[in-house]
């Protein structure tokens, strides 16, 4: 994927722009905070909520991607870099339209926005990808699966409740939701029939009633949050792994060797924090807090050992040394808000 976006060829979308001066177009969106983050082998991508900034991991060179360069909309929910066979950045907007940026081309998927048999909220909460490249969407209506070659929807499962996350693990599709965790076999010919999905309850060492949040694959196991507690799961039984005191689990991330657990403040604290487990032994976890952690949204570890953090406070954040919590904060020359009320 080429991150130096200039003019992008767009498929199946119509875009209108605002003109800055005769014959020129300029982006005046704010890039003061990174609300979501993902990575390719060479670049880190942040969402500001209104646009995308791409940062070269080696040179720190950056470029922006907004509606001026071809994005369909500005209000972004979540982003995910998709590996082979796609090798591109997927962007989910608040109106449930999806853009896929591959090299200098943008492909827009409007299927969810155009659902005719569903009139409720259609928010995309999480984008995931399995080892075969298939794309899975966790949404407010259930889940959808997308073919990585044709970008056709393979199936959609309407659950009747909000789904937080979706992952494929050991030949099963798992979803976490406000009603708990459910699974169905990859071999199921009718995954859209949610009544045939299996609820993970007492038989799996889980309570009969619980809420479930983020999930991640790490060290050949599935990790997930249930009712404020981090659990590990081997496909048969779930076991307690980590219980944060006074904090709620905001995200789980394991893109290299370790596990990042992002925590938001619940009680007796002023800011969130991130706990890093270098390995599954649970020995010597490293706590990351201020100045790099305030309102954690998401975080990733890159292949060089740097941690790129999305935070709801101000600035973009990177930690380059875990031992000393060596924090770099940065932003870009841009407005502080998307609206301009006066020009002088």
């Amino acid at each position: 994927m080429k991150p130096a976006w200039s003019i992008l060829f767009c498929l199946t979308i119509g875009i209108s722009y605002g003109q800055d001066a005769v014959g020129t177009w300029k982006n005046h969106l704010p890039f003061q905070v990174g609300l979501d983050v993902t990575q390719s082998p060479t670049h880190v991508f942040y969402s500001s909520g209104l646009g995308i900034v791409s940062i070269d991991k080696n040179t720190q060179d950056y470029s922006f991607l907004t509606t001026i360069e071809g994005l369909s909309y500005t209000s972004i929910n979540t982003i995910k870099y998709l590996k082979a066979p796609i090798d591109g950045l997927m962007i989910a907007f608040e109106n449930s339209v999806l853009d896929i940026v591959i090299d200098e081309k943008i492909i827009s998927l409007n299927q969810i926005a155009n659902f005719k048999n569903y009139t409720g909220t259609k928010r995309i909460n999480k984008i995931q990808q399995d080892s075969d490249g298939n794309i899975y969407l966790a949404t407010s209506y259930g889940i959808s699966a997308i073919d990585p070659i044709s970008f056709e929807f393979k199936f959609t499962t309407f659950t009747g409740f909000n789904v937080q996350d979706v992952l494929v693990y050991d030949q099963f599709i798992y979803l976490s939701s406000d009603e708990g965790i459910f699974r169905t076999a990859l071999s199921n010919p009718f995954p859209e029939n949610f009544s045939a999905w299996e609820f993970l309850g007492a038989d799996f060492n889980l309570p009969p009633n619980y809420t479930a949040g983020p999930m991640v694959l790490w060290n050949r196991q599935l990790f997930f949050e249930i009712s404020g507690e981090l659990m590990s799961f081997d496909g048969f039984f779930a076991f307690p792994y980590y219980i944060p005191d006074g904090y709620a689990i905001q995200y789980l991330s394991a893109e290299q060797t370790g596990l990042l657990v992002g925590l938001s403040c619940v009680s007796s604290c002023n800011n969130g924090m991130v706990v890093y487990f270098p390995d599954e032994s649970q020995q010597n976890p490293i706590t990351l807090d201020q100045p790099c952690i305030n309102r954690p949204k998401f975080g990733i570890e890159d292949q060089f050992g740097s941690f790129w953090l999305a935070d709801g406070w101000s600035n973009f954040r990177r930690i380059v040394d875990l031992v000393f919590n060596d924090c770099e904060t940065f932003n870009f020359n841009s407005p502080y808000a998307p609206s301009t009320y006066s020009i002088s």
Side-chain angles (χ1 to χ4, degrees):
M1 179 179 180
K2 300 175 183 178
W5 295 299
S6 53
I7 299 174
L8 294 163
F9 176 61
C10 305
L11 304 179
T12 70
I13 59 175
I15 304 170
S16 60
Y17 304 119
Q19 193 168 11
D20 180 74
V22 176
T24 65
W25 305 91
K26 289 186 178 180
N27 147 38
H28 292 292
L29 292 174
F31 284 92
Q32 300 293 326
V33 62
L35 299 175
D36 201 0
V37 63
T38 186
Q39 67 177 324
S40 73
T42 59
H43 288 77
V44 171
F45 305 94
Y46 277 102
S47 164
S48 70
L50 298 172
I52 303 295
V53 57
S54 166
I55 304 172
D56 188 293
K57 293 178 182 178
N58 288 312
T59 67
Q60 311 302 304
D61 290 342
Y62 64 89
S63 59
F64 298 121
L65 177 61
T66 69
T67 52
I68 299 301
E69 289 78 29
L71 286 188
S72 298
Y73 300 96
T74 55
S75 298
I76 298 171
N77 270 353
T78 187
I79 60 175
K80 175 76 172 180
Y81 185 84
L82 301 173
K83 300 176 182 178
I86 299 168
D87 294 315
L89 179 67
M90 176 171 274
I91 303 162
F93 298 98
E94 283 188 6
N95 62 2
S96 71
V97 171
L98 292 159
D99 277 358
I100 306 173
V101 185
I102 305 173
D103 292 332
E104 295 187 354
K105 177 176 67 176
I106 295 180
I107 301 169
S108 287
L109 306 181
N110 299 290
Q111 289 96 323
I112 296 175
N114 295 332
F115 276 168
K116 298 186 183 302
N117 56 344
Y118 184 82
T119 57
T121 303
K122 293 176 280 192
R123 176 185 173 86
I124 299 170
N125 298 318
K126 194 75 173 180
I127 304 167
Q128 299 283 17
Q129 189 179 26
D130 68 16
S131 58
D132 294 324
N134 296 298
I135 306 162
Y136 291 87
L137 307 176
T139 76
S140 57
Y141 60 78
I143 69 169
S144 292
I146 303 174
D147 184 270
I149 303 299
S150 66
F151 298 123
E152 294 293 327
F153 276 56
K154 300 177 72 171
F155 68 85
T156 290
T157 305
F158 294 99
T159 58
F161 47 74
N162 185 54
V163 174
Q164 300 283 1
D165 210 343
V166 57
L167 280 174
V168 172
Y169 169 63
D170 197 22
Q171 300 304 306
F172 283 89
I173 305 170
Y174 290 81
L175 67 81
S176 63
S177 72
D178 300 343
E179 301 297 325
I181 294 177
F182 296 79
R183 74 178 185 179
T184 191
L186 276 174
S187 59
N188 179 3
F190 303 108
E192 50 270 84
N193 178 16
F194 186 64
S195 64
W197 285 57
E198 181 181 23
F199 173 71
L200 273 61
D203 291 343
F204 298 90
N205 197 35
L206 290 169
N209 298 290
Y210 61 91
T211 61
M215 302 192 294
V216 71
L217 301 177
W218 184 50
N219 286 334
R220 302 172 303 281
Q221 294 186 82
L222 178 64
F223 285 74
F224 46 72
E225 178 268 337
I226 66 159
S227 301
E229 184 173 350
L230 179 60
M231 309 288 288
S232 64
F233 181 71
D234 61 5
F236 301 97
F237 294 100
F239 301 94
Y241 187 82
Y242 172 67
I243 303 174
D245 184 18
Y247 294 85
I249 296 176
Q250 179 73 26
Y251 70 81
L252 303 173
S253 175
E255 301 205 1
Q256 300 298 325
T257 58
L259 172 66
L260 283 169
V261 183
L263 303 172
S264 58
C265 175
V266 175
S267 62
S268 302
C269 49
N270 294 319
N271 291 284
M273 66 179 183
V274 174
V275 177
Y276 178 71
F277 294 91
D279 55 58
E280 61 185 328
S281 69
Q282 298 175 266
Q283 309 242 336
N284 304 315
I286 300 170
T287 298
L288 309 175
D289 48 25
Q290 290 184 292
C292 235
I293 311 296
N294 294 104
R295 306 289 187 269
K297 295 290 188 181
F298 199 65
I300 56 173
E301 180 184 4
D302 70 18
Q303 68 270 40
F304 305 113
S306 289
F307 296 81
W308 303 81
L309 305 169
D311 197 282
W313 203 242
S314 59
N315 297 316
F316 298 76
R317 296 138 188 264
R318 180 174 74 141
I319 293 177
V320 294
D321 190 320
L322 279 181
V323 175
F324 296 101
N325 197 17
D326 187 5
C327 177
E328 296 178 354
T329 61
F330 55 96
N331 54 34
F332 302 93
N333 185 16
S334 64
Y336 284 91
S339 301
T340 299
Y341 298 97
S342 64
I343 300 175
S344 58

